[in-house]
Amino acid sequence: MNDWSDFFGRLRRDLADLADEDIVILLYSGRGVQFAQTPRMLLTEAIISPGPIPAQPLPEQEHAALVALGWSPPDVPHFTNWHLELPWPATAAQYDATTSRSVQTLRDVLGVPSPSDLTIKAWSDKTHEPLSLSIAA
């Protein structure tokens, strides 16, 4: 899948279909976004550094872009990644905004050339089984 518009639609559907304790991670060169569904929220994180805590400060341009997209900065020890909490159940508009923010982060901030360049990891923490996602098809 090379088209960001198609990827947006598929990711939007996948996020809306997540069940409690489902995890989705989209990575490119150790950076990306991840989603964790809980009974109360969909936790969304932007993974900006491959390690648990960035070894060096984030370049100002990336920092400004993440702020402009509405991400909350890391709050160690609670969050080591940029993050957002989407109340659950969420509205269609909230899923659209979360998906848009995630796609813009991947494409525009992290420089992912194409959705086909992403490594997709998805599983249920409840069953330990892999998830079947339309973005992975």
Side-chain angles (χ1 to χ4, degrees):
M1 176 182 355
N2 295 322
D3 178 13
W4 283 108
S5 295
D6 181 44
F7 180 79
F8 174 94
R10 289 173 184 240
L11 179 61
R12 163 64 174 80
R13 285 188 301 278
D14 287 339
L15 293 179
D17 289 342
L18 292 179
D20 184 29
E21 296 189 39
D22 284 354
I23 309 292
V24 176
I25 302 174
L26 310 174
L27 291 173
Y28 175 74
S29 298
R31 298 171 12 137
V33 294
Q34 63 186 9
F35 309 91
Q37 182 65 61
T38 75
R40 293 187 344 260
M41 75 174 120
L42 176 65
L43 175 62
T44 306
E45 295 183 301
I47 306 165
I48 303 305
S49 173
I53 298 177
Q56 54 190 338
L58 191 62
E60 182 56 37
Q61 184 177 2
E62 285 185 13
H63 184 277
L66 291 168
V67 168
L69 287 170
W71 291 100
S72 296
D75 177 17
V76 178
H78 305 293
F79 294 100
T80 57
N81 292 317
W82 289 74
H83 60 280
L84 291 164
E85 296 176 1
L86 179 64
W88 194 85
T91 66
Q94 288 171 315
Y95 279 119
D96 288 345
T98 296
T99 305
S100 178
R101 182 179 296 112
S102 299
V103 167
Q104 288 178 69
T105 299
L106 291 166
R107 184 189 61 216
D108 303 336
V109 179
L110 302 180
V112 179
S114 163
S116 63
D117 293 310
L118 291 167
T119 299
I120 301 170
K121 300 177 183 181
W123 69 93
S124 167
D125 267 355
K126 191 179 287 186
T127 65
H128 306 289
E129 294 291 325
L131 299 178
S132 176
L133 300 175
S134 64
I135 58 171

